[in-house]
Amino acid sequence: MKYDVAVIGAGAAGIAAAIAAAESGAKVVLIERYGFVGGLANSAMVGTICGLFYRHLSVAHYAVQGFAREFSERLQKSSGTSPVMFSEGLHFVPYQPSAFHQQAILQLQQAGVSIMLQSHVSAVDICSAKIKALHIQSAGNLVHLRAEAMVDCTGNAQLSMLANVARIEQAHYQSGAFVFQVIGLPEMELRSLTLNLIRWIKRGIQKGALNSECERLSIIPGTVKKGVGLLKLGMPELFDGTPACLTQYEIDARSRSVEIIDYLRANEPELKDLRISAMATEVGVRTMSRSQGIQTLEESDVLTCAKPADGIAIGAWPIELWGVEKKPEMIYFAEHECYWISANTLVSKYLDNLFFAGRCISATERAIASARVIGTCFSTGYAAGMLAAEYANHGVWQKAIDTIQEKQIFKEESE
């Protein structure tokens, strides 16, 4: 099998990368380990798209342009949602996971992207500082695939790992979160419901019926409608990147979620009809190992709202660090400001034809705590897809920067 561009990972970044490469004239294949597209946006039931808007205390004003904005607006229409303001002037878009999946499939098919589901890359062939071939386990078969350029959107720098080149790693990453859907929530204003949930859980802890880790349960804003809503349970331990830690996450998250809901239903009259109606396929792991790029996005780039000459994607979400505390550490930059992500953070330092996007761009742990959100993943994905297509077609990627900037950085100025 031969393609111009192979995109690995069909999350938000991978969807955007595949569509961008196809729109640039490349023959594209999108490879996904699950049987559906959407990545954590679907499997972890994230429920909200952050990073689309400037921080502003009144209106939701788009910071991003191009694909990220267009996809968001279509998704809002199909989900029947609109931007919601959270705290400190932060805005986000709630969405229905089913609508996210359908919108992604529609746009991928319209772009002519080939899709390989239930497939994962198990090995790569390297020659002259390039990935020459991917070896893919798919439906019980081993498939050999060649492409001129690769875009890693796996979230854990899988291609860099398989190629045995250096990655950005650390002993511990941010703690994860588990999302599940409930029915039978009482009809009340969201703020009252949120405060009551805190009170009900604290009462269970004081009685000794629940442990203190249950206080990490919260309602995802903008997702409650007619007694149905999404709840998020934060993990009390940092993620160490090991299969053992991930396995324990999955076991503990589900058990603790059931424990909490069973207790609330049995002990709080207002919640006598409360039930779990769906659980996420996996715990949402916020950060993992990342690829090493020509350049690395730093915390200072985020907080000073740096705008490098080769900026090709916009970051607008604050640094949001989830540790062992019950709430994240939020580090803000100025209102109605943003930073630009350099093209060099999406290009491998070691492999000429490897690009990356989403949660595995070249960034420090504190910088990726801002750039990992879905809105920014859309933008870095689209940029990486265009860079990869340019490389596949002409052997260089730098000439795509101006075109990407016209679509994602400067488009607003010409509207």
Side-chain angles (χ1 to χ4, degrees):
M1 302 173 69
K2 181 71 169 68
Y3 291 88
D4 297 321
V5 175
V7 180
I8 298 84
I15 291 164
I19 290 171
E23 289 179 349
S24 300
K27 182 182 179 183
V28 182
V29 62
L30 177 61
I31 303 162
E32 168 57 42
R33 62 177 173 140
Y34 287 134
F36 54 86
V37 303
L40 291 178
N42 281 348
S43 64
M45 295 172 65
V46 174
T48 57
I49 298 180
C50 302
L52 296 168
F53 307 102
Y54 291 110
R55 186 164 67 95
H56 196 286
L57 292 175
S58 55
V59 299
H61 180 61
Y62 278 99
V64 302
Q65 299 298 325
F67 179 86
R69 176 172 178 172
E70 292 159 8
F71 190 98
S72 166
E73 291 177 339
R74 293 190 182 104
L75 184 58
Q76 289 175 64
K77 185 176 180 180
S78 57
S79 293
T81 60
S82 57
V84 171
M85 187 172 81
F86 192 43
S87 62
E88 302 295 333
L90 295 174
H91 296 79
F92 56 81
V93 171
Y95 67 87
Q96 294 294 330
S98 58
F100 190 105
H101 178 269
Q102 286 305 107
Q103 186 60 235
I105 285 292
L106 176 63
Q107 293 196 45
L108 287 164
Q109 291 176 336
Q110 288 176 342
V113 175
S114 297
I115 304 172
M116 291 180 63
L117 299 178
Q118 302 284 9
S119 304
H120 74 275
V121 180
S122 57
V124 298
D125 291 341
I126 307 293
C127 182
S128 302
K130 292 181 182 180
I131 298 177
K132 291 295 186 179
L134 305 176
H135 302 284
I136 303 165
Q137 297 287 341
S138 181
N141 298 309
L142 182 60
V143 177
H144 305 287
L145 186 149
R146 291 184 174 274
E148 295 298 324
M150 319 287 174
V151 186
D152 189 340
C153 300
T154 60
N156 64 354
Q158 184 182 12
L159 293 190
S160 292
M161 178 185 66
L162 292 173
N164 199 29
V165 298
R167 292 170 290 154
I168 299 173
E169 299 179 276
Q170 52 201 69
H172 292 93
Y173 303 90
Q174 294 181 60
S175 60
F178 182 68
V179 176
F180 58 99
Q181 184 184 70
V182 295
I183 58 175
L185 287 168
E187 293 286 343
M188 62 177 67
E189 188 267 334
L190 179 61
R191 178 173 171 78
S192 296
L193 182 60
T194 300
L195 292 174
N196 275 317
L197 180 63
I198 294 170
R199 178 170 58 87
W200 291 324
I201 290 176
K202 281 187 175 180
R203 191 148 57 198
I205 294 171
Q206 290 167 356
K207 290 179 179 179
L210 297 175
N211 65 45
S212 60
E213 293 169 358
C214 296
E215 281 192 284
R216 297 172 183 273
L217 185 71
S218 61
I219 299 169
I220 298 180
T223 66
V224 178
K225 188 175 183 181
K226 296 182 179 179
V228 180
L230 294 180
L231 304 186
K232 178 170 67 176
L233 180 64
M235 297 293 99
E237 305 90 8
L238 294 174
F239 179 57
D240 66 9
T242 66
C245 182
L246 191 56
T247 298
Q248 200 61 50
Y249 261 14
E250 298 286 1
I251 294 171
D252 291 348
R254 287 171 173 77
S255 298
R256 195 168 298 137
S257 299
V258 172
E259 174 191 356
I260 294 171
I261 299 306
D262 283 352
Y263 166 81
L264 293 175
R265 182 174 63 250
N267 291 274
E268 299 295 342
E270 299 97 325
L271 301 176
K272 60 183 176 61
D273 298 321
L274 190 66
R275 297 286 190 283
I276 294 176
S277 55
M279 283 186 165
T281 306
E282 63 179 323
V283 171
V285 175
R286 291 185 169 92
T287 59
M288 300 178 76
S289 63
R290 295 173 295 282
S291 304
Q292 180 65 64
I294 297 172
Q295 185 176 330
T296 297
L297 182 70
E298 304 278 351
E299 178 183 12
S300 60
D301 298 322
V302 175
L303 297 182
T304 62
C305 299
K307 296 178 175 62
D310 67 338
I312 39 70
I314 285 177
W317 195 253
I319 292 175
E320 180 181 348
L321 285 162
W322 287 85
V324 297
E325 303 299 326
K326 294 172 186 175
K327 293 184 179 181
E329 177 186 1
M330 302 293 292
I331 308 171
Y332 300 94
F333 43 85
E335 283 187 40
H336 208 75
E337 256 292 5
C338 65
Y339 60 94
W340 296 354
I341 298 172
S342 164
N344 284 309
T345 65
L346 312 186
V347 183
S348 175
K349 181 178 180 180
Y350 305 104
L351 299 166
D352 295 343
N353 65 340
L354 176 60
F355 303 84
F356 21 79
R359 293 182 299 131
C360 57
I361 67 170
S362 184
T364 65
E365 181 72 2
R366 296 180 73 85
I368 202 66
S370 165
R372 65 173 177 79
V373 295
I374 293 177
T376 312
C377 287
F378 276 142
S379 296
T380 57
Y382 198 86
M386 290 191 68
L387 293 173
E390 182 71 18
Y391 182 89
N393 292 330
H394 304 291
V396 294
W397 51 267
Q398 290 85 350
K399 291 182 179 179
I401 291 175
D402 288 346
T403 303
I404 299 169
Q405 289 182 332
E406 289 173 8
K407 290 177 176 288
Q408 297 205 136
I409 301 291
F410 301 122
K411 184 176 181 181
E412 184 178 28
E413 298 178 3
S414 62
E415 290 181 341

